Amino acid sequence: MAQQLVDRRDQEFVIWEQMNCEEITQLPPYRAFNKKTCDMILTEARSLAIKELHPTMKDGDEQGVRYDNGTVKVPESYHRAFNLIREGDWNNLSVDPEMGGQGAPGFLGMCVTEYLMAANWTLSCYTSMGMGTALLIHKFGTPEDRAKYVRKLTAAQWGGTMLLTEPDAGSDVGALTTTAVQKPDGTYVLSGNKIFITNGEHDLVENIIHPVLARIDGDPPGTKGLSLFIVPKYLVNEDGSLGERNDIVCAGIERKHGLHGSATTMMSIGGKGNCVGYLLGKPCEGMKIMFYMINNARMKTGLQAMSYASSAYLLAVNYARERIQGRDLEDYANPAASSVPIIRHPDVRRNLLWMKSYVTGMRSFFHYMTSCQTKAEWAEDDVERKAGADIFNLLSPVVKEYLGTKGCEVCAQAIQALGGAGYTKDYLVEQYARDCRAVPIYEGTSGIQAMDFLARKIGADKGAAFARFIDEIHRMVDRASAVGGLKTLSEKVATAADRLADVCAYISQLTRSSQIKVAFAHSLPFLHATGDVIMAWMHLWRADIAVEKMKTEKKPKNVAFYQGLIRTAEFFIETELEISLGKMNAIQSGCAAAIEITEDEFGSI
C-alpha cells in the first residue's frame, strides 16, 4: 500500500537509528516505554490518523467553523474524532503523570503528533493546545491553580489558548493596551481586545482557559510591565464545578486563506466591566512566563509544517508513480513508444528528490532538537544538560522559521508535480499548501524569528552556544570522512560550516556598528543559511549511518532505503548547499540597498 501522511520507515530510522532514542527509553522516567511499546503506539496512532482523523480534513476546509452570536461551531464530523483522541489519551501522551499525562518520552509524543497533524491539524489542535496552558499553570501557578485547572486541561475536558496579539499592537507586544485592575479580594478586572486567537471559542469542550497578557494599572510601559492572568470562559468553583460565565466573549472569527476548520477568533475582554482574571506568577513577569509556552509553540509550528510537507510529498511521489503521460526521453523521437509514468521524466525526478531531501532533512533536524530538549531536562551529566539546553535555545527560532518556510515550499512543489490536477481541490496538496502558509506567520513572523536569532541567540553566553553548534557539525564531518564514499561530501559540509561561522562573525560585528540596520536586513538570509547547513549536516549524518548499514543489510527493501539516503545526501550537499554558499556571499557583501532606498523609490502611491 502506498505510504500515507508520514513515511513510517524514515520516521523509524530517525528515532531508532539516527537519534538512538532507545537510550532515552532507559532514562528513569521512560522505562515503561521500550522500543516494542513505542512501535505499537506508533502503529495505533497511524491507524487512528488515517482511518478517523484524515476523513474529516475536507470537512474542515469546505465547511469551516461557523460563528453565531458569540459562539463558534466546528464541523459535525470533528466531534467523534475529537472524542476518540480524548478517550485514547492521545493528546497527553508525553505529559508528566503528575499533570495527568502518560509520561511518554518527547520523541514518541512528537512522532504521534506528526501523524495527527498531517491527518488534520485543525482538529488535533483542539485536543492539544490546552497542554501549553496546563504547563504554564503547573509551573507558575499556585497549588490551588494547579488543582483547579491542570488535569482538566491535560484531559482535553477543557480547552486552552494564548492571548497576546491586539489590533493596534500586532507583533509589538509591548504596545498592548489590555489593562488589569486589582480588586480587594486579590483578583483582577481585565479590559481589552485580542485578535488572531487560535481556539478562542468552540463547541468541543465545556470550558476554555485563557492565559491573557495585560498591564496592571500603574505598571511601566513596554514588555517589562506586562503580567499574565488566568481568565476562564466559565469561572470555576472551589469544588471544581463550573460557575458563572465570565466577561470574555468571542466577537467574531477570521476568514482565512487556509485552516478553515480552526477557530481563529477575536476576543472581547471585559465588555461589561466584569472580566475576572487571576494573576499567574508575579507581576511584570508575563513575557518571561509566556516565553516558556512560546518556545514549545515554536517547536510545534515547525512540526506542523513538516507534517504538511511530508504528506504533500508522499501524495506527489505516489501520483508520479501512477500518472501515465509522455514518452520516456530516450524514446522521445519514436511516436510508437508507449507512455510512461511521469516519475521517469528527469525534471519530475529532480523535483521529487528536492522534496524528499527537505522532508527527510527536516525530520532529522526536528528530532535532533527534541533530543536536545530531553537531554536538557534529564541528562545525568550537568555538562550534557547545559549543552542540550544551549543548542535547543540557540536553534529554536531556526526550527520554527526554516521548517515553516521550507514546508510551504515543499507543498508548492507538490502541486507542481501533479500539474494542473494539483491546483484543483480533487487532490489534498492544494489544501496542504494553503494551510501551511500560516506557519511562517504565527508564533512570530519570519523577520521576528530572524531578529531573535541574530539579536539574542547568537551572542548568548558570548557566542559559546553557536561555537558548540559548529563543533557538533565538525565532529560529524570527522566521523563521516573516514567512511568510504563520503569524503567529498564531508569536505563540502565542513567548508559550509566554516563559511557560516565566518558570516556569523561578520554579521555580528555589523550589529555593533553604525551598520546595525544593514545587519538586520540580512538576518533572515542568515537564518536560512544556518538552516541549510543544518540540513547538510543531517544528511551527512544519515548517509554515514546508511553506508555502515549497507555493509551487512541483505533485504532488498532496506538496501533501497539506505541507498536512497545516500543519494538524497548527495543531492542536497551537491546542489542545495552550493546555493546556500551563494546566500552567504550575498550576506557578506554587506549590500545596504534595502536600508538606503527611500520610501518614494519603492514605487508610486
Side-chain angles (χ1 to χ4, degrees), residues 214-221 224-227 283-284:
R215 196 182 317 278
I216 296 173
D217 194 33
D219 279 348
K224 292 182 179 179
L226 298 179
S227 300
C284 297

Side-chain angles (χ1 to χ4, degrees), residues 44-226:
E44 290 303 312
R46 181 177 185 273
S47 177
L48 175 70
I50 292 173
K51 294 178 181 178
E52 303 291 349
L53 272 67
H54 204 38
T56 68
M57 188 171 166
K58 267 194 172 295
D59 288 347
D61 190 52
E62 294 174 357
Q63 298 175 20
V65 294
R66 292 178 291 114
Y67 175 76
D68 181 20
N69 193 30
T71 65
V72 176
K73 297 187 181 300
V74 302
E76 185 58 37
S77 63
Y78 276 31
H79 287 266
R80 180 177 182 277
F82 177 89
N83 287 331
L84 289 172
I85 296 172
R86 183 166 59 184
E87 290 163 8
D89 287 331
W90 292 104
N91 52 291
N92 63 16
L93 180 62
S94 292
V95 173
D96 191 326
E98 187 181 344
M99 297 172 59
Q102 299 179 65
F107 76 85
L108 181 62
M110 293 303 186
C111 286
V112 167
T113 302
E114 184 181 354
Y115 271 113
L116 303 186
M117 283 182 168
N120 186 353
W121 177 86
T122 63
L123 169 59
S124 68
C125 185
Y126 287 114
T127 69
S128 63
M129 195 165 171
M131 302 308 116
T133 308
L135 277 170
L136 289 184
I137 297 173
H138 180 73
K139 187 170 180 65
F140 300 102
T142 64
E144 293 76 18
D145 292 334
R146 292 194 286 271
K148 189 177 288 187
Y149 301 109
V150 169
R151 287 180 176 263
K152 295 285 182 69
L153 286 164
T154 60
Q157 183 177 344
W158 294 352
T161 63
M162 182 165 61
L163 273 64
L164 285 79
T165 309
E166 296 186 1
D168 294 327
S171 297
D172 183 9
V173 179
L176 64 76
T177 59
T178 298
T179 59
V181 178
Q182 190 171 19
K183 296 168 62 177
D185 64 0
T187 64
Y188 289 78
V189 176
L190 275 70
S191 176
N193 294 285
K194 302 287 184 176
I195 60 171
F196 301 149
I197 307 305
T198 301
N199 301 346
E201 171 66 26
H202 58 89
D203 60 345
L204 289 167
V205 293
E206 61 187 20
N207 199 10
I208 299 174
I209 311 304
H210 304 282
V212 180
L213 271 181
R215 196 182 317 278
I216 296 173
D217 194 33
D219 279 348
T223 56
K224 292 182 179 179
L226 298 179

